[in-house]
Amino acid sequence: MAGAPASFFGDGASAISSYVDILASRGIDWGLIGPREGERLWERHVLNSVAGAGLLPEGASVVDVGSGAGLPGLPLAILRPDLRVTLLESLLRRVSFLELAVEELGLADRVSVVRGRAEEHRAQYDVVTSRAVAPLPRLLGWCLPLVAPGGRVVALKGSTAGAELEDARGLLRRKGLVGEVHRLVVPVSGEETFAVVVGR
Ligand SMILES: C[S@@+](CC[C@H](N)C(=O)[O-])C[C@H]1O[C@@H](n2cnc3c(N)ncnc32)[C@H](O)[C@@H]1O
């Protein structure tokens, strides 16, 4: 599957292929990616990460909360050279992996890596994104303080998106915020996935 999915990234085709190689080698060796995930990196992780790229405004500053091995932050940064991306991750080994990957992929001019917990981070961004980190109500508790005025949270979710949004309704009402589920199509595979977008 390596040819077609890489070409979806246009000028970033070579960078995204290098990133997938890094995930399949160091990512598995360092225990960030399960050994059985090697086969499914493109569909399940890389292409899934960019399904919501259209929800990010041109030129936005973006923080990827709980970035792990760089998902969705690194595929988004490669697909969208207009974005400035911060990868926020609490675990040292993952941070070391991210720093090496950013350097090797030549993205250091607009992708930075920060070690820290989201709830202790003190900066604001146009978009706060996150994938597979925590249920929406807890995630919003961490992410909402990181949203700059006029910005939004874009939480990548699977089929639980609607139920998680219902669980967060009370919190959103108290804060005067609006939440919506967006149905997304994963590029190349055509699979369905979802994002919850929260803003004013
Ligand atoms: C299941 S992994 C998901 C990683 C990646 N987002 C993905 O989709 O593959 C969750 C990641 O969130 C990080 N994490 C969990 N709680 C966090 C917090 N409060 N602040 C920052 N990172 C956190 C973990 O260390 C882990 O790397």
Side-chain angles (χ1 to χ4, degrees):
M1 191 177 173
S7 59
F8 176 78
F9 286 77
D11 290 346
S14 154
I16 200 71
S17 297
S18 302
Y19 175 54
V20 170
D21 289 345
I22 293 170
L23 287 176
S25 52
R26 195 183 306 141
I28 292 178
D29 293 346
W30 289 24
L32 275 69
I33 298 284
R36 295 207 198 106
E37 295 299 296
E39 306 279 301
R40 301 187 286 186
L41 286 173
W42 279 108
E43 246 171 277
R44 185 167 173 159
H45 296 292
V46 173
L47 293 165
N48 177 279
S49 287
V50 296
L55 299 169
L56 279 54
E58 179 78 18
S61 59
V62 180
V63 62
D64 177 17
V65 167
S67 190
L71 300 161
L74 282 173
L76 283 171
I78 291 169
L79 181 70
R80 293 275 305 272
D82 57 296
L83 303 175
R84 287 159 289 130
V85 178
T86 299
L87 309 175
L88 178 61
E89 169 55 50
S90 54
L91 290 185
L92 178 61
R93 192 156 41 118
R94 294 171 188 223
V95 167
S96 305
F97 174 93
L98 291 171
E99 286 171 343
L100 274 174
V102 167
E103 197 57 45
E104 286 172 22
L105 296 170
L107 295 171
D109 57 333
R110 58 190 181 82
V111 179
S112 52
V113 180
V114 175
R115 183 180 181 199
R117 299 193 62 81
E119 56 274 43
E120 293 162 4
H121 190 58
R122 296 287 171 267
Q124 292 196 316
Y125 304 85
D126 301 321
V127 177
V128 181
T129 192
S130 190
R131 175 182 182 263
V133 174
L136 192 66
R138 194 187 327 151
L139 188 68
L140 288 175
W142 299 343
C143 291
L144 290 175
L146 307 182
V147 180
R152 65 188 77 163
V153 174
V154 177
L156 301 183
K157 293 285 177 185
S159 55
T160 61
E164 292 194 43
L165 180 57
E166 284 313 308
D167 290 344
R169 285 277 180 217
L171 170 72
L172 297 183
R173 209 173 300 119
R174 285 195 299 281
K175 294 196 173 284
L177 295 168
V178 176
E180 275 181 353
V181 173
H182 289 245
R183 181 182 171 275
L184 306 172
V185 176
V186 177
V188 184
S189 78
E191 275 177 24
E192 179 182 73
T193 190
F194 300 91
V196 178
V197 178
V198 172
R200 289 256 164 233

